[in-house]
Amino acid sequence: MTQVSKDVKPNATYSEARIADLEWPKHRSAAYWEYRKNWVEYPKRMYTSDFPIHIDIETTNICNLLCPMCPRTIQIDNGTYVDIGTMSMDFYKKIIDEGAENGLCSIKLNYLGEPLLDKYIVERVKYAKEKGIIEVMFNTNATMLSEEMSHKLLEAGLDSIFFSVDSISRERFNKIRIGADYDTVVKNIINFMKIKNDGGYKHVQSRVSMVVMPSNKHEVEEYTKFWLPIVGQVGYGEWVEHASTQGVIEAYNPDFVCSQPFQRIFVMYDGVCTPCCVDDGRGYVLGDLKNNTVKEIWHNERYTKLRDAMTKGRYRDIDICARCYVPFAKTST
């Protein structure tokens, strides 16, 4: 189903920063590279496929940290965070089964929660890989990434893991990642990489990322020098003060096209679906998987309305898009 076929340049919501000479791309399949090509091309053509390329599945919204820049922490502080919980395995399997039947290429097993606090995480990775999902990945704060867990995840078939580490200063890290211990996190990541390399898991992608804020922006070069030899990829995201993005942004970017509505859908642990990574407050609910299928929601009136706004250059007609910082965000280099 094609919306528009003109060539546009969608604004990126994430871009890689520093990349070493990597081994993992050499060990990915032709199917992987085809899916990654479509990931880029579909938004350029504003093309809506029959089924999403990717699903972000928040298997749990529980986290063991209270990072001040995280929207979860902000919502907890102001009393707007939803009830906490974990998705059942039966419900999860229903999502994966539908995806496998419809050519789903990839899943990310987290959103606002910490995936390693999900007691089913290894089972979830294994089930998705057995069903033929090309890429299974998640972000983690690495606090719970024990050697035992590292072995289990790799054996289950995890394809990509992204570590969130915001400083190489012990004191500064512990102030940013409230509830985490710098030495433990660094040790866990180094151990994971050793287990991965010694075990011959050459296809597994790893990356360490920093949220660049006033308190740590001076660390970027030193941070890169420390982590790049260890993990191979280092990423940087620009800090956004979420409390300042609640009102409509009066400025308008006529060249903005959001890539996410043409690539993915987000599924919260309770089945509620939203369109993008910025909608942490569930401001534009697309539907509920307790009542509909992924495919039905992907093509429903509400999602179609959002895509139409993008294709017609009227993104501000959608409330959450009118309040979004992404049209004006700088991409990492």
Side-chain angles (χ1 to χ4, degrees), residues 67-252:
C67 307
M69 70 289 191
C70 178
R72 182 183 185 277
T73 303
I74 294 167
Q75 289 173 28
I76 289 172
D77 286 345
N78 64 28
T80 60
Y81 196 59
V82 298
D83 292 339
I84 61 172
T86 298
M87 182 180 289
S88 73
M89 272 304 296
D90 286 344
F91 193 71
Y92 172 80
K93 288 179 179 180
K94 177 185 173 184
I95 298 169
I96 298 301
D97 289 349
E98 184 189 354
E101 292 170 3
N102 287 277
L104 176 65
C105 296
S106 67
I107 59 172
K108 180 178 277 189
L109 298 176
N110 72 282
Y111 182 41
L112 295 182
E114 166 52 48
L116 296 185
L117 290 174
D118 174 4
K119 65 181 180 180
Y120 304 115
I121 190 64
V122 174
E123 186 180 351
R124 296 194 203 275
V125 172
K126 187 173 186 291
Y127 188 80
K129 293 306 297 181
E130 287 174 346
K131 287 293 181 174
I133 305 303
I134 296 169
E135 184 172 31
V136 178
M137 64 188 112
F138 59 72
N139 293 58
T140 177
N141 59 40
T143 58
M144 309 293 289
L145 190 63
S146 65
E147 290 188 26
E148 179 183 7
M149 177 58 73
S150 297
H151 280 289
K152 287 181 176 179
L153 288 169
L154 290 165
E155 290 166 6
L158 185 68
D159 297 292
S160 299
I161 187 167
F162 309 122
F163 307 112
S164 299
V165 184
D166 297 303
S167 178
I168 54 170
S169 158
R170 181 178 296 102
E171 181 180 3
R172 189 172 296 112
F173 174 91
N174 290 347
K175 286 182 178 179
I176 295 172
R177 292 268 156 183
I178 298 173
D181 174 70
Y182 175 80
D183 293 325
T184 299
V185 167
V186 172
K187 181 191 72 173
N188 288 349
I189 295 172
I190 291 173
N191 284 344
F192 177 90
M193 295 304 300
K194 184 177 188 306
I195 292 166
K196 179 184 91 71
N197 295 333
D198 290 350
Y201 298 99
K202 295 182 178 181
H203 74 287
V204 175
Q205 178 188 16
S206 55
R207 182 183 70 220
V208 166
S209 296
M210 169 199 278
V211 177
V212 179
M213 298 171 281
S215 64
N216 65 5
K217 63 182 181 180
H218 63 283
E219 291 187 36
V220 168
E221 289 304 320
E222 189 178 355
Y223 181 96
T224 301
K225 289 177 183 177
F226 178 81
W227 282 114
L228 198 60
I230 297 171
V231 296
Q233 290 177 271
V234 177
Y236 299 97
E238 184 182 19
W239 173 67
V240 174
E241 186 179 2
H242 287 264
S244 70
T245 64
Q246 300 308 304
V248 172
I249 297 173
E250 293 301 328
Y252 173 68

